[in-house]
Amino acid sequence: MTSKRVFILIPSYNEANVIRKTIASLQGPYEIVLIDDASTDNTSQVVAGLPIYYLRHTVNLGQGAALQTGMTFAYQQGADIVVHFDADGQHNPNDIPRFIDELESRKLDVVLGSRFLLREDRVSVPAFKQVILKVATLINGIITGLWLTDAHNGFRVMNRRSLGLIRLKENRMAHATEILAEIYRHKLNVVEMSTHITYTDYSKAKGQSWTNSLNILFDLFVNRYLRS
Amino acid sequence: MNAVGLLTPIQLLLIVLLGLLFIASLRVFKDRLYLRVLFMLGLTAAVVFIVYPSLTVYLALLVGVGRGVDLIFYLLFLVIIFALISMYRRILRLDETLTNIIRKEALRDGKKLN
């Protein structure tokens, strides 16, 4: 394992029911940063006393904005490596050391999780979601120039260099595409690694419906053509 | 104008309404000269077209549109789309400002809980 300072960023909106469990699952010499995106539940009370950094948006901005706040914070705190981790517990904490080792040994800038590299990871993805994700990888490739096997996988590991270069302006879910565009723009070294997503009833209910992909497309269009 | 050289009731009404719009616009576009100029030009054109409706027909035929009203309708459509896009861009900028303020606050107040 690494001797570097690893910050795990957990953007969170109304995840009081699961957030303690998710944080407890992260065993290791990690600094944990919870970015509470103006939750209206009792998230702040639930996490009180835990050895984590707690940042709060006073107004709900979206996951992209929360991640950027966390990345800026980690950068200011001198983080060497940053991990994006979902609050709902669908990511596997054991992937973290595996991804970090890969990042360090191959001197990469970014390692992205993918559900489509191993059959066993892929089959646990609901069939309809697989179709949507495959379409999304195609669209992402066209828009960003980065051709990957998965899209909108929230599990990512990056080094400090990437942290200093990547800027997310997409406050909502389109950040997942924007981050690829940023990786491409700054010519960062990136690979995908297999990761397993555990789809619980909770995470499925909290997850996005496919119709939101239309919103994402709209946001991407707006960002490209209307933002000054 | 009608036979006696006076304005018809609808023409009068429209001109009065435009006058009110003019007064209202004095407050709305206070700090934006180009919008104000555009607005004044639009109002002037509207008054001219109300007084001389046949002018719109002439212009419409000139650009290949059948009726004067249709031409006005198409122009109106373009103006509204333009206005919507400008307003949306403004909202985007506000959004960005808001994000920056909220982020700054979150970074300032962020702390270790234990």
Side-chain angles (χ1 to χ4, degrees):
Chain A
M1 260 308 275
T2 176
S3 59
K4 294 186 170 165
R5 296 191 70 199
V6 179
F7 279 64
I8 300 182
L9 310 181
I10 310 177
S12 173
Y13 177 64
N14 289 347
E15 304 274 9
N17 291 328
V18 290
I19 193 64
R20 266 193 94 96
K21 202 173 151 209
T22 301
I23 291 171
S25 73
L26 297 167
Q27 297 296 328
Y30 308 132
E31 299 283 1
I32 294 170
V33 183
L34 182 72
I35 307 101
D36 181 354
D37 196 13
S39 295
T40 51
D41 62 6
N42 58 340
T43 295
S44 60
Q45 285 141 296
V46 167
V47 299
L50 292 177
I52 61 170
Y53 288 103
Y54 178 81
L55 278 64
R56 182 175 164 86
H57 286 167
T58 46
V59 176
N60 181 261
L61 293 176
Q63 195 184 49
L67 275 175
Q68 183 57 61
T69 299
M71 294 192 342
T72 306
F73 181 77
Y75 192 80
Q76 289 174 354
Q77 297 288 319
D80 298 306
I81 292 169
V82 150
V83 179
H84 292 181
F85 204 84
D86 279 7
D88 60 12
Q90 62 172 340
H91 294 318
N92 180 2
N94 297 326
D95 283 340
I96 297 172
R98 200 159 61 85
F99 274 53
I100 291 176
D101 284 346
E102 184 83 356
L103 185 87
E104 298 216 285
S105 62
R106 290 180 57 185
K107 300 207 184 315
L108 300 163
D109 295 311
V110 185
V111 182
L112 300 171
S114 171
R115 291 157 275 196
F116 291 93
L117 292 175
L118 295 180
R119 193 177 176 279
E120 65 211 65
D121 298 333
R122 178 168 54 81
V123 292
S124 67
V125 181
F128 184 58
K129 205 172 176 99
Q130 289 192 29
V131 176
I132 294 291
L133 288 172
K134 276 300 164 189
V135 174
T137 56
L138 191 72
I139 293 171
N140 279 346
I142 293 167
I143 293 179
T144 69
L146 213 55
W147 294 87
L148 302 168
T149 61
D150 198 357
H152 284 261
N153 190 315
F155 189 68
R156 311 176 185 94
V157 177
M158 62 179 72
N159 63 7
R160 183 172 176 81
R161 176 163 177 259
S162 315
L163 205 54
L165 291 173
I166 292 173
R167 284 288 165 273
L168 299 179
K169 285 185 179 167
E170 295 284 1
N171 280 356
R172 290 173 292 274
M173 291 314 286
H175 72 83
T177 300
E178 190 185 21
I179 217 168
L180 305 183
E182 287 285 278
I183 289 169
Y184 185 80
R185 183 163 76 95
H186 297 295
K187 304 193 166 36
L188 300 173
N189 284 321
V190 59
V191 299
E192 285 186 301
M193 270 182 95
S194 66
T195 187
H196 195 82
I197 304 289
T198 311
Y199 290 97
T200 59
D201 287 340
Y202 177 81
S203 73
K204 269 192 259 182
K206 282 281 295 193
Q208 305 180 68
S209 96
W210 75 274
T211 48
N212 199 31
S213 43
L214 300 178
N215 293 333
I216 292 171
L217 276 180
F218 178 77
D219 279 350
L220 289 171
F221 172 83
V222 164
N223 190 30
R224 176 165 286 202
Y225 297 108
L226 291 185
R227 229 183 261 276
S228 37
Chain B
M1 270 175 261
N2 59 17
V4 262
L6 290 171
L7 295 174
T8 61
I10 183 70
Q11 285 176 317
L12 266 177
L13 182 68
L14 286 174
I15 289 171
V16 168
L17 285 177
L18 286 178
L20 291 176
L21 213 56
F22 169 75
I23 294 169
S25 77
L26 289 179
R27 293 173 62 88
V28 176
F29 300 125
K30 228 171 185 165
D31 52 346
R32 325 192 105 194
L33 185 63
Y34 83 99
L35 275 182
R36 184 177 269 189
V37 170
L38 275 181
F39 197 76
M40 296 299 159
L41 286 176
L43 280 185
T44 314
V47 172
V48 171
F49 286 145
I50 288 169
V51 179
Y52 304 106
S54 52
L55 249 183
T56 62
V57 184
Y58 173 73
L59 284 177
L61 290 174
L62 209 65
V63 293
V65 179
R67 294 189 309 171
V69 183
D70 288 343
L71 177 70
I72 299 292
F73 176 75
Y74 298 148
L75 290 178
L76 195 66
F77 180 77
L78 288 180
V79 168
I80 288 174
I81 292 290
F82 174 78
L84 270 180
I85 290 178
S86 335
M87 278 167 83
Y88 199 82
R89 287 179 63 127
R90 207 171 150 76
I91 291 173
L92 285 177
R93 280 202 299 278
L94 279 174
D95 222 37
E96 227 173 290
T97 311
L98 189 68
T99 300
N100 289 337
I101 293 170
I102 293 168
R103 178 164 296 138
K104 218 170 179 174
E105 192 188 10
L107 291 170
R108 191 194 59 204
D109 297 344
K111 57 178 185 298
K112 200 137 193 184
L113 292 180
N114 183 7

